[in-house]
């Protein structure tokens, strides 16, 4: 039975939550392996909309065990806000298992994140201000606080004090801020630790055991390939590895246990925050895509930058992540456009016409897209449940994207609902 990785193929917000939720009722485990609550996955079930930030999207499927892996940085306040919020809406879910090795986001990480971003001014990265980057920095610098530390009062107090010693110097002497006291932070984290204690596990052992037993494990990435700290549009990236390889390092499951890698691709392109975006639209078409697609960040509410489909972006992701399949989302948003431009290459100063993702950041920034126009359609496709039910022009658009991306499109989303999905090739 397979290990399946879900990866965003663009700059995030592709609809990974929908794809994960759709598969969730047919898998045994759903695992978050990277990122933190800077991600937002929107899932629509029975007409109700749920926005998840730390909880794996499979949490809404009864019978699917959920795990938060060691590659995730966890704000325990957000975790319990989500769980309590679901309970308040009458949705009772099983508490996810949490890796003992996952790192914790503390209030001082959030403070450092916000003051640093303000300090950068025009050079800002466009972070969510939720402490993600500083938490990962502490992890790499080996001064981080892990979930297991919340279960040991003396160890936690020592780690927080040691971490604050340098951070308070920075806050006071560079940013002219007051120092942060360790006591209240330790007290709050210990309280979360007691609530977490029954759910803390060796996630690698749990997941490898599940695969050994023939169970299906779905690995859910946050953000997307082009926000990967190693492979994305650096420095305008996240602080972790949302690529398929991150599923291995972020859970403790070896690469030979991964059977499928599904790239989630929006039928057009969006991104939030700063950074290059060759097909970005700043005209009426971009505003139309934003309005029709409700393109506002699930975590921050920020309006997303919108543009036409760019297969160069997707092909780069497909190569690095070794996509076996693509799940195409939000096809319904394009209904009503008379013609739909699709990027087929870039004009790059000094290079001329290129058909693949450029080598350098400067080349991506300078790239001008070259478009091919594809006829649009006017028919409502939200009720289609088979590929043949789509209008001819709509099917032609999907097939053209499939040819340009070089990976088969196995699923198509024609609306936000769980049931608004067309399956061309089953993934299980």
């Amino acid at each position: 039975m397979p290990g399946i990785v879900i990866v965003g193929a663009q700059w995030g917000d592709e609809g990974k939550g929908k794809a994960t939720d759709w598969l969730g009722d047919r898998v045994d485990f759903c695992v978050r392996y990277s990122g933190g609550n800077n991600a937002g996955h929107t899932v629509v079930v029975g007409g109700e909309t749920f926005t998840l930030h730390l909880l794996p999207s499979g949490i809404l499927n009864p019978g699917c065990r959920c795990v938060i892996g060691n590659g995730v940085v966890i704000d325990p306040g957000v975790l319990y806000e989500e769980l309590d919020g679901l309970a308040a809406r009458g949705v009772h879910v099983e508490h996810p298992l949490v890796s003992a090795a996952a790192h914790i986001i503390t209030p001082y990480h959030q403070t450092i994140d916000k003051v640093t971003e303000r300090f950068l001014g025009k050079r800002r990265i466009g972070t969510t201000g939720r402490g993600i980057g500083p938490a990962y920095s502490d992890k790499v610098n080996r001064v981080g606080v892990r979930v297991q530390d919340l279960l040991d009062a003396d160890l936690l107090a020592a780690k927080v004090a040691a971490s604050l010693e340098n951070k308070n110097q920075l806050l006071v002497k560079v940013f002219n801020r007051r120092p942060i006291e360790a006591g209240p932070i330790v007290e709050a984290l210990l309280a979360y630790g007691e609530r977490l204690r029954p759910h803390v596990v060796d996630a690698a052992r749990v997941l490898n055991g599940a695969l050994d037993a023939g169970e299906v494990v779905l690995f859910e990435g946050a953000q997307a390939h082009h926000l990967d700290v190693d492979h994305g549009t650096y420095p305008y990236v996240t602080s972790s590895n949302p690529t398929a390889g991150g599923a291995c390092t972020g859970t403790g499951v070896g690469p030979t246990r991964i059977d499928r890698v599904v790239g989630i691709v929006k039928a057009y392109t969006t991104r939030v925050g700063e950074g290059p975006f060759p097909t970005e639209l700043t005209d009426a078409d971009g505003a139309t895509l934003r309005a029709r697609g409700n393109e506002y960040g699930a975590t921050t509410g920020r309006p997303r930058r919108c543009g036409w489909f760019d297969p160069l972006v997707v092909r780069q992701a497909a190569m690095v992540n070794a996509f076996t399949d693509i799940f195409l989302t939000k096809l319904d948003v394009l209904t009503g456009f008379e013609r739909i431009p699709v990027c087929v290459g870039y004009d790059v100063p000094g290079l001329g016409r290129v058909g693949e993702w450029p080598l350098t950041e400067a080349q991506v920034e300078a790239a001008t897209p070259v478009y091919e126009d594809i006829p649009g359609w006017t028919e409502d496709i939200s009720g289609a449940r088979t590929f043949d039910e789509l209008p001819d022009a709509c099917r032609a658009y999907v097939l053209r994207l499939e040819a340009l991306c070089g990976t088969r499109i196995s699923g198509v989303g024609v609306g936000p609902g769980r049931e608004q999905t067309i399956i061309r090739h089953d993934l299980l």
Side-chain angles (χ1 to χ4, degrees), residues 9-10 22 260-268 309 311 314 318 323-331 342 387 390 394-414 421-427:
Q10 294 155 311
W22 173 75
R260 290 187 182 276
V261 181
V262 183
I264 313 302
V265 179
K266 197 175 288 186
Y268 47 101
F309 190 84
V314 177
F323 290 162
T324 58
D325 304 83
I326 283 175
F327 189 103
L328 186 72
T329 64
K330 287 199 166 184
L331 184 62
V342 173
F387 193 63
L390 295 174
C394 186
R395 291 200 305 273
Y397 181 79
V398 173
L399 294 174
R400 182 59 178 144
L401 298 194
E402 185 175 64
L404 288 168
C405 293
T407 303
R408 72 179 188 176
I409 295 177
S410 295
V412 180
V414 293
T421 303
I422 293 170
I423 300 305
R424 298 180 66 217
H425 307 284
D426 202 0
L427 299 178

Side-chain angles (χ1 to χ4, degrees), residues 7 225 244 258-263 315-325 407:
V7 180
H225 169 88
I258 305 300
D259 298 277
R260 290 187 182 276
V261 181
V262 183
R315 284 202 300 270
Q316 181 72 7
M319 175 187 68
V320 173
N321 294 277
F323 290 162
T324 58
D325 304 83
T407 303

Side-chain angles (χ1 to χ4, degrees), residues 102-123:
H103 280 248
I104 294 294
I105 298 172
T106 70
Y108 52 78
H109 291 130
Q110 296 163 353
T111 299
I112 293 292
D113 198 356
K114 292 171 183 176
V115 299
T116 301
E117 189 78 346
R118 284 197 292 268
F119 182 78
L120 288 172
K122 292 182 179 180
R123 296 180 291 112

Side-chain angles (χ1 to χ4, degrees), residues 29-33 56 66-69 207 217-221 251:
F29 283 85
C30 183
V31 190
R32 267 287 301 274
Y33 64 81
C66 287
V67 179
I68 297 177
L207 296 173
V217 178
L218 180 65
F219 301 86
E220 176 189 14
T251 63

Side-chain angles (χ1 to χ4, degrees), residues 66-91:
C66 287
V67 179
I68 297 177
N70 60 275
V72 180
V73 287
I74 301 172
D75 183 330
V78 171
L79 175 63
Y80 284 109
E81 183 180 319
E82 286 189 35
L83 286 168
D84 295 343
L86 289 174
R89 295 175 64 178
V91 181

Side-chain angles (χ1 to χ4, degrees), residues 98-222:
V98 180
S99 170
H103 280 248
I104 294 294
I105 298 172
T106 70
Y108 52 78
H109 291 130
Q110 296 163 353
T111 299
I112 293 292
D113 198 356
K114 292 171 183 176
V115 299
T116 301
E117 189 78 346
R118 284 197 292 268
F119 182 78
L120 288 172
K122 292 182 179 180
R123 296 180 291 112
R124 66 187 182 277
I125 303 299
T127 76
T128 60
R130 283 159 169 76
I132 310 299
Y136 276 116
S137 293
D138 274 6
K139 176 180 179 177
V140 174
N141 287 327
R142 293 160 292 187
V143 294
V145 172
R146 298 192 291 176
V147 167
Q148 58 190 273
D149 300 330
L150 273 55
L151 311 181
D152 185 322
D154 292 339
L155 180 61
L156 177 64
K159 285 197 169 187
V160 171
S163 186
L164 279 177
E165 186 173 347
N166 287 332
K167 289 178 177 59
N168 278 333
Q169 294 287 329
L170 180 68
L171 287 170
V172 172
K173 296 180 179 179
V174 176
F175 296 118
N176 196 29
R177 297 286 297 264
R178 292 180 180 177
I180 297 173
E181 294 184 19
I185 293 175
V186 172
E187 184 178 347
L189 291 179
L190 285 174
Y192 284 125
E194 287 308 305
R195 195 170 176 185
L196 275 170
R197 188 183 293 273
H199 313 289
V200 177
V201 298
D202 180 341
R205 190 173 301 280
V206 169
L207 296 173
N208 280 285
L211 290 166
D212 288 342
E215 295 182 290
V216 180
V217 178
L218 180 65
F219 301 86
E220 176 189 14

